[in-house]
Structure formats: structure tokens, C-alpha cells
Amino acid sequence: MTENPPPDSLTGILTSLRERVMGVSESVLSTIDGLLVVADADTVHPESVAALAAATLGVGRRMADTTGVGALREVVARCGSGHVIVLAVGDRALLTVKGDDGLDLVAFQRESPAAVEQLNKVLASDVAN
């Protein structure tokens, strides 16, 4: 029997998001420059996702700046059989979430801010120590 990671660990936060939101299947936490921190993933290559998330966020931020619509919060790609969502976690990290075609976007939008805040707190405490 596998044990769930503690809810205050990075992996625990990712696992909790997957368990709370129907359709979230995998997630990757990375640095803003595309280096893998931790992943809750089985089918994606986490290092590749981390690198692509950095590029995605960079383009999204540039688009937000150019159009003057405020600070970028997330980039959502709706694909043929699911979604890929990249969210900023503070100024130094990114959360990339893969959702299947049944992703509950309303639940995701409700639950993801708390997950991002938790991730940011754990990362900040790690840097402080």
C-alpha cells in the first residue's frame, strides 16, 4: 500500500489538487527558468514539461504586457482530448497541470489558487532555511 505524501509537502500539494479536482491527471512544478522541482506525473516527461512551461509563461506574459490586460495569472491550452494549464507560483515557480477531457474547469479555478498559495509558502520556507 502506498502512503500519500504529507499535505504540506510539494508532492502532497500536487496530489491533493489531483484528488480534489475531477479531471486533473498530472502536474509538474518547475522553476521559472524551466528546471523541474517535483512532479505528480506518470505519462508526461516532467523535465520536458518544465522547460515548455517556462516558454509558455514567457509568451503569455509578453502577450499580457503587449495588450495591457494586467499581470498574467495562467495560460490555458484546450486540446483535442484535454487541457494543459500553466500557472505562475509567485515570481520563481510554475505549476503545469494536465487535465483530461472531463476536467472540471470551475472546480479547478476554485481550488488552484489555494494550491498555488500552498506551493508558494513551502517554496518560500525552503529558501528561508
Side-chain angles (χ1 to χ4, degrees), residues 46-127:
E47 290 84 0
S48 297
V49 171
L52 289 167
T56 300
L57 189 74
V59 170
R61 280 189 171 159
R62 181 70 186 253
M63 180 63 81
D65 289 345
T66 300
T67 58
V69 293
L72 180 70
R73 291 183 294 193
E74 66 186 30
V75 175
V76 179
R78 294 181 188 200
C79 306
S81 62
H83 300 76
V84 178
I85 305 169
V86 180
L87 302 107
V89 178
D91 293 332
R92 297 178 310 178
L94 306 171
L95 173 60
T96 305
V97 175
K98 176 186 170 190
D100 61 30
D101 202 28
L103 176 64
D104 184 344
L105 284 169
V106 173
F108 182 79
Q109 289 176 338
R110 182 183 63 241
E111 298 292 334
S112 62
V116 166
E117 184 178 330
Q118 289 177 304
L119 290 166
N120 206 18
K121 283 182 184 177
V122 172
L123 290 170
S125 70
D126 190 45
V127 170

